[in-house]
Amino acid sequence: MFENLFRKKSITKILEDAEKGYGDHASLNKTLGVKDLTAFGIAAIIGAGIFSTIGKASADGGPAVIFLFIFTAVACSFAAFAYAEFASMVPVSGSAYTYSYVAFGELVAWIIGWSLIMEYAIGNITVAISWSDYFTGLLSSIHIPALGINGIHLPDWMTMDYLTAYNGHQHAEALLNAGKSFSNLDEATRITNNAWITAPQIGNFHVVADLPALGIIILITWLVYRGMKESKNASNAMVIVKLAVILLVLSVGVFYVDTANWHPFAPNGVSGVLKGVSAVFFAYIGFDAISTTAEECKNPQKDLPRGMMWAIIICTVLYVAIALVLTGIVRYDNLAVGDPLAFVFDHINLKLMSGIIAVSAVFAMASVLLVFQMGQPRIWMSMSRDGLLPKRFSRIHPVYKTPSFATIVVGFVVAVPSLFMNLTIVTDLCSIGTLFAFVLVCAGVLVLQNKPNIQRGKFRIPYANAKYIIPVVFIGSVVASFVFFKAETTAFLTNKAKVHNPISFITSLDKAELAKVQSQIKKEQTPSAIIEKNIDTEAYLNGLSEGQYQSFVEKTNVSADKKFESGWSLFKHKIPMWIFFVICVVVTYYCITKNLSLIPVLGLLCCLYMMCELGISNWIGFGIWLVVGLVVYFLYGFKHSKLNLENQV
């Protein structure tokens, strides 16, 4: 049985199946060229990244966030080289799932296919939620005096998920109990609190659901169902609109840049820049979706690699330029908003520009939804063709030539959770699933690089021997950690206790403990500083320097676990980074002994590093998803696999 878990599909057999049209399965239309693929890549990449997450990443890292965009683009380019070689070698739908079937065997292929299902589904849930935010903002900005319309305002409980509203209400209650006035709550907390309070109730259950997110998913699913030609035309049109708007933003915004805002360039150091890894990487997710369209390309071996590379290059240039303009117009620490582009032009009183940006953001998000919603049914279709999912998932519509049943199911899989899921959770889960796919694709190229009996495509990754570079980089990185970041490295290795941030500290306290903290504040304040009896505890603690805050918390008479994170609760967050270190050692060994190719090695290590920056909770969530997938595989896929049936004949 163990050998059967890793049974592999030969490239020759895959290409023969594609040529014959997969027996009783109809073929897809071949309509895509390199321009269309590049447009799909841009459609997938330029969305939430530029119109939303770039703001928070810039606030954390300052102008130096451009280096994170460049690093992420380089890491994605390494992975794109690996995708391109596989796409040239195996020009069929299935993306990393099919490539893993060739390189590692069925079990790994199933795991990667299952993770891709999560990537595209969770990715679209994320984008649908972001689209909903922009759409409701756009509605509220509509002013037509002649018709008496002064903004169209949907109820708050209709524009967000249940968990966000509940957590926002709890957070508001904790801050109000700590002395903050309602008017001083940040806008996001006020809105979520209002959604919870005003939501209709069925018994004790508050009815909170993101209805605009549901609406856009239904519309996009219908469009994808109708056919590749319609999807291509819609995607190309939306790409033209958002590129035109981004170029307009750059050409206007450059005249308002104040270079003084670029100082300091990296205000929070390397840690501040790296804090935005999840947000910035999410900005690049989607280029791999191009590989799912291989069967619909006119010349996949030539056009797929070019489409991927052009999409990444164009988008990276635009991301860096936008980040520099944003941080040049407005100081970095003011950019932690959901709609940074519109916010910046509001700041300089260009209301027309902010309106244009809001409209274009709706199109930009929709184009990302289109590409992701197009990619996922093709993964399901490929898995169904191999017998790992029921046959109906590979059913092709006789008129529209799309995987019709899979497309409808994907619509439900994305639409229902988009009503209820939390944006932060789904963003990180999407990122870790995608990075996992990237790691396995890069590893797959390394597994196949020295096998002589593998049929090669027209595109090969340029070869450079990793054994002359990777060991030097690894040893140099270890030495640099102790020389330039000695305190951080020592704290990591010794698991030194870390003080909780002010928000986490305050919201964990009960009323008696909070009273002790406020009493301590009164003692430490000068008489002139005490303006009112109701002390805003959170504002006071956030106003302290790092050293002052550390000293204050150490003196506070509350339990140590509420003041410090230590022991296992601290160490568990470091487990992903220890995994990364161990794998680095193993990869370095194989680089020396197997003469591995440099580019896929760099892709594997860069993507694995970004996975480790996402935190242990995301690894646990991803692990649970994979366990569920393995249960499905052993209950259905293993027995119904076509390779299994062929072996029984």
Side-chain angles (χ1 to χ4, degrees):
M1 178 181 174
F2 183 79
E3 291 182 358
N4 287 338
L5 292 176
F6 298 96
R7 52 201 173 201
K8 299 177 182 178
K9 291 185 71 174
S10 69
I11 295 175
T12 303
K13 180 68 167 63
I14 292 174
L15 297 179
E16 285 177 359
D17 287 345
E19 190 68 27
K20 292 185 295 187
Y22 299 93
D24 57 346
H25 303 296
S27 299
L28 303 174
N29 281 339
K30 295 183 180 293
T31 61
L32 303 178
V34 66
K35 290 181 181 178
D36 301 313
L37 292 167
T38 303
F40 273 134
I42 295 172
I45 297 172
I46 295 183
I50 273 187
F51 290 96
S52 181
T53 57
I54 195 173
K56 181 64 167 64
S58 298
D60 290 331
V65 76
I66 65 169
F67 296 122
L68 185 54
F69 277 111
I70 293 170
F71 169 74
T72 307
V74 170
C76 288
S77 296
F78 292 148
F81 270 110
Y83 268 93
E85 179 163 326
F86 266 123
S88 178
M89 191 187 307
V90 194
V92 298
S93 289
S95 184
Y97 159 74
T98 301
Y99 309 155
S100 297
Y101 221 144
V102 172
F104 300 108
E106 186 170 282
L107 180 62
V108 177
W110 169 267
I111 290 172
I112 199 66
W114 191 252
S115 71
L116 285 172
I117 288 173
M118 184 184 75
E119 172 196 342
Y120 291 126
I122 297 293
N124 251 5
I125 292 167
T126 306
V127 179
I129 294 169
S130 295
W131 183 92
S132 173
D133 291 343
Y134 263 96
F135 181 70
T136 53
L138 180 63
L139 288 180
S140 65
S141 67
I142 295 175
H143 298 282
I144 308 176
L147 299 177
I149 297 175
N150 187 26
I152 301 172
H153 302 281
L154 298 178
D156 289 332
W157 59 267
M158 198 183 288
T159 63
M160 68 183 67
D161 64 279
Y162 180 93
L163 190 60
T164 294
Y166 174 75
N167 288 340
H169 174 67
Q170 296 296 315
H171 185 64
E173 289 289 304
L175 291 179
L176 291 173
N177 289 335
K180 187 176 284 292
S181 65
F182 185 82
S183 60
N184 285 333
L185 293 175
D186 63 272
E187 185 179 4
T189 302
R190 287 202 304 271
I191 292 173
T192 53
N193 182 58
N194 184 62
W196 182 260
I197 293 172
T198 60
Q201 290 183 244
I202 301 175
N204 291 325
F205 180 78
H206 292 242
V207 180
V208 183
D210 198 338
L211 296 185
L214 173 66
I216 189 61
I217 289 296
I218 292 173
L219 176 62
I220 293 295
T221 301
W222 172 81
L223 186 60
V224 172
Y225 180 88
R226 285 297 304 271
M228 177 56 75
K229 184 177 180 181
E230 290 77 5
S231 300
K232 177 185 74 175
N233 292 338
S235 172
N236 289 347
M238 287 187 280
V239 165
I240 290 172
V241 169
K242 64 182 172 183
L243 285 182
V245 170
I246 289 168
L247 293 175
L248 177 64
V249 166
L250 292 174
S251 59
V252 173
V254 71
F255 293 103
Y256 292 87
V257 168
D258 180 359
T259 55
N261 287 329
W262 290 339
H263 302 285
F265 200 72
N268 298 316
V270 175
S271 61
V273 174
L274 291 176
K275 195 174 180 181
V277 162
S278 176
V280 170
F281 178 74
F282 186 76
Y284 281 94
I285 287 178
F287 81 84
D288 60 313
I290 302 174
S291 63
T292 67
T293 66
E295 282 181 48
E296 291 147 292
C297 297
K298 297 172 184 175
N299 186 356
Q301 293 186 325
K302 182 179 179 182
D303 293 345
L304 273 171
R306 291 183 179 181
M308 287 183 186
M309 294 304 175
W310 276 117
I312 290 175
I313 292 169
I314 292 170
C315 293
T316 301
V317 171
L318 292 175
Y319 276 139
V320 169
I322 285 288
L324 288 174
V325 167
L326 288 183
T327 54
I329 297 175
V330 175
R331 185 175 162 81
Y332 72 92
D333 51 4
N334 294 320
L335 287 172
V337 293
D339 53 349
L341 266 67
F343 168 79
V344 162
F345 283 97
D346 265 343
H347 181 78
I348 55 179
N349 293 317
L350 292 180
K351 304 293 185 183
L352 178 61
M353 280 293 296
S354 62
I356 292 172
I357 289 166
V359 173
S360 67
V362 170
F363 284 100
M365 301 289 187
S367 70
V368 179
L369 285 169
L370 177 66
V371 177
F372 274 40
Q373 204 71 351
M374 179 184 66
Q376 189 176 352
R378 285 152 179 81
I379 300 292
W380 291 30
M381 177 187 71
S382 297
M383 297 174 76
S384 173
R385 285 172 172 175
D386 295 327
L388 303 184
L389 288 176
K391 184 182 291 187
R392 66 183 62 185
F393 282 98
S394 53
R395 184 185 300 158
I396 304 298
H397 195 283
V399 177
Y400 302 137
K401 299 296 182 183
T402 58
S404 51
F405 179 78
T407 300
I408 293 172
V409 173
V410 166
F412 280 102
V413 167
V414 175
V416 175
S418 68
L419 288 169
F420 309 111
M421 289 192 73
N422 179 274
L423 184 60
T424 303
I425 295 172
V426 294
T427 301
D428 288 345
L429 277 176
C430 180
S431 295
I432 199 168
T434 308
L435 286 165
F436 183 65
F438 288 4
V439 167
L440 282 187
V441 170
C442 292
V445 170
L446 296 172
V447 168
L448 297 180
Q449 76 170 34
N450 293 322
K451 292 189 176 180
N453 58 341
I454 296 295
Q455 182 175 337
R456 303 290 174 181
K458 295 178 181 178
F459 179 84
R460 292 290 303 273
I461 296 175
Y463 178 80
N465 197 331
K467 78 175 182 181
Y468 298 114
I469 298 174
I470 295 299
V472 175
V473 171
F474 177 68
I475 294 171
S477 299
V478 173
V479 172
S481 297
F482 284 98
V483 173
F484 299 107
F485 305 101
K486 185 177 181 180
E488 293 89 341
T489 303
T490 303
F492 179 86
L493 294 174
T494 59
N495 203 40
K496 182 180 178 182
K498 185 173 70 172
V499 66
H500 285 295
N501 65 56
I503 290 288
S504 299
F505 175 55
I506 291 169
T507 54
S508 69
L509 303 177
D510 58 33
K511 288 186 178 180
E513 292 168 329
L514 188 60
K516 292 178 183 178
V517 172
Q518 291 178 330
S519 175
Q520 184 177 332
I521 291 174
K522 290 178 181 178
K523 291 177 182 177
E524 296 198 2
Q525 282 182 316
T526 58
S528 60
I530 303 176
I531 301 171
E532 54 184 333
K533 294 182 180 179
N534 192 24
I535 298 170
D536 187 338
T537 312
E538 183 265 337
Y540 176 81
L541 295 181
N542 268 318
L544 299 177
S545 67
E546 185 176 340
Q548 290 172 329
Y549 175 65
Q550 176 94 18
S551 175
F552 179 93
V553 171
E554 287 174 352
K555 290 185 291 184
T556 303
N557 186 23
V558 298
S559 60
D561 61 309
K562 294 193 175 183
K563 296 192 290 184
F564 300 102
E565 192 174 18
S566 61
W568 169 250
S569 64
L570 178 62
F571 178 78
K572 66 183 181 182
H573 298 295
K574 300 176 181 179
I575 292 175
M577 200 53 67
W578 279 110
I579 292 173
F580 173 72
F581 180 77
V582 171
I583 291 178
C584 280
V585 173
V586 173
V587 170
T588 301
Y589 169 79
Y590 278 110
C591 285
I592 296 170
T593 58
K594 301 292 185 181
N595 297 316
L596 298 182
S597 177
L598 179 63
I599 289 177
V601 167
L602 290 174
L604 187 156
L605 294 178
C606 289
C607 292
L608 183 62
Y609 173 76
M610 288 192 286
M611 276 185 75
C612 296
E613 284 288 342
L614 293 178
I616 189 64
S617 60
N618 299 299
W619 283 63
I620 293 172
F622 183 56
I624 292 171
W625 174 258
L626 292 185
V627 169
V628 172
L630 289 174
V631 171
V632 174
Y633 172 71
F634 285 110
L635 289 179
Y636 183 90
F638 180 78
K639 183 169 61 175
H640 292 85
S641 165
K642 286 192 174 180
L643 290 184
N644 184 52
L645 297 177
E646 288 171 5
N647 291 338
Q648 291 178 354
V649 175

